[in-house]
Amino acid sequence: MRKIFIILTFSLFAISYSQKKKELYLFTSFREPATEGLYLAYSEDGYNWKGLEGSFLKPEIGASKIMRDPSITRGADGTYHMVWTTDWKGGNGFGYASSKDLIHWSEQQYIPVMKNEPEVVNVWAPEIFYDDVKKEYIIIWASTIPFRFPKGVEEEKNNHRMYYVTTKDFKTFSDTKLYYDPGFSVIDCVIVKKGKKDYVLVLKDNTRPMRNIKVAFGKSPLGPFEKSSEPLTEYLSEGPTVVKVGKNWLLYYDNYGSKNYKALSTTDFVHFEDVSTKISLPGGHKHGTITTISADVLKGLIEKK
């Protein structure tokens, strides 16, 4: 009997330890009119998401004091770093804050990355990526600077290009540089590391005839990237984010024309399968990014509410 009890106790410990070590998925989000701040959803399988009630960080900076497009990544030391859009129109920067547990946050900072561009129209959808080769963070975003680029199909105040800065500590930043110019108005870019010297840039072609999602390939997270693909999604889709689940990559996007969320599955970013019928998300979920969290962090988030 004692031997059976010992075996049973060890088995229960092993299960508990395994569950504790298991990484779960976390999806950031916001809700219109974007004044409430950061919303979160979690998933065990990367397909089915449960919303965590209420806002986890209310915006305090920027002229509009809104939080749109929250992008988050976890650094090598376990700290979560988040950037977001602070103003729908106007402004020359984005918001930044960090946290160890997604409950207690650092003081919010406004990072004026386009301060040297007095004519800049906007700073939209900053996306943060951790470069594990150079051990630095890359932040990319879309801005319009009227008459900076050849006239395309868009009016001058809607002719976006992608820009970037890098940082190791979020105290000092590199000079702002042009990140991606595909020859048309582009927003909502996401960097994906597919393999060594094998990167994918997921992007939104923001021109009026298109307004859909494409991909481009490069050998570095800073590019250069090849010519973009044909559209992967339908008209009026945006806000892509990518997560690897098993052997597949899931590309989530806001199919805002039809007011729903959809997802594509791929192994190579060339061939895609629509898996939208296999996913579920909380109502009102908007443009965010996916990272991973421990069971302990999730427990804290649930208990906070």
Side-chain angles (χ1 to χ4, degrees), residues 71-241:
S71 172
I72 196 167
T73 192
R74 185 167 60 175
D77 66 349
T79 301
Y80 293 92
H81 299 276
M82 186 173 72
V83 293
W84 66 89
T85 305
T86 60
D87 297 280
W88 178 245
K89 292 182 180 179
N92 61 11
F94 52 75
Y96 164 75
S98 64
S99 176
K100 287 285 190 182
D101 58 8
L102 303 171
I103 298 171
H104 305 93
W105 291 85
S106 66
E107 181 179 358
Q108 296 177 36
Q109 299 178 48
Y110 184 79
I111 314 296
V113 288
M114 298 298 273
K115 63 183 178 182
N116 295 325
E117 296 288 353
E119 302 301 317
V120 68
V121 174
N122 56 355
V123 173
W124 274 1
E127 188 78 19
I128 188 167
F129 174 84
Y130 180 64
D131 182 355
D132 60 1
V133 177
K134 292 187 176 181
K135 309 299 182 186
E136 66 182 11
Y137 298 88
I138 302 169
I139 305 167
I140 60 176
W141 68 90
S143 283
T144 293
I145 304 172
F147 306 103
R148 178 63 55 87
F149 298 95
K151 174 66 176 170
V153 297
E154 298 305 301
E155 62 178 51
E156 288 299 334
K157 290 189 175 181
N158 197 42
N159 195 16
H160 296 80
R161 295 300 187 273
M162 296 298 299
Y163 295 84
Y164 81 98
V165 291
T166 62
T167 183
K168 290 182 181 290
D169 56 10
F170 295 91
K171 296 177 182 176
T172 59
F173 296 82
S174 67
D175 292 338
T176 296
K177 295 180 181 178
L178 181 67
Y179 181 76
Y180 183 55
D181 174 16
F184 54 79
S185 181
V186 59
I187 66 172
D188 291 0
C189 287
V190 175
I191 305 167
V192 179
K193 183 175 183 178
K194 186 169 169 285
K196 187 177 180 180
K197 294 186 178 181
D198 186 4
Y199 293 82
V200 182
L201 187 68
V202 185
L203 60 116
K204 179 189 178 183
D205 182 335
N206 199 46
T207 57
R208 300 304 91 180
M210 303 303 287
R211 287 193 274 184
N212 47 33
I213 295 169
K214 302 177 177 181
V215 295
F217 299 91
K219 295 180 180 179
S220 158
L222 294 179
F225 292 95
E226 300 169 358
K227 182 179 177 180
S228 62
S229 69
E230 292 299 311
L232 309 178
T233 64
E234 56 267 58
Y235 181 61
L236 300 182
S237 50
E238 64 183 7
T241 191

Side-chain angles (χ1 to χ4, degrees), residues 30-36 39 66-68 88 238 284 286:
F30 73 97
R31 301 287 185 273
E32 297 289 7
T35 53
E36 290 301 306
Y39 282 77
I66 62 170
M67 180 183 288
R68 298 177 63 90
W88 178 245
E238 64 183 7
K286 298 285 289 183

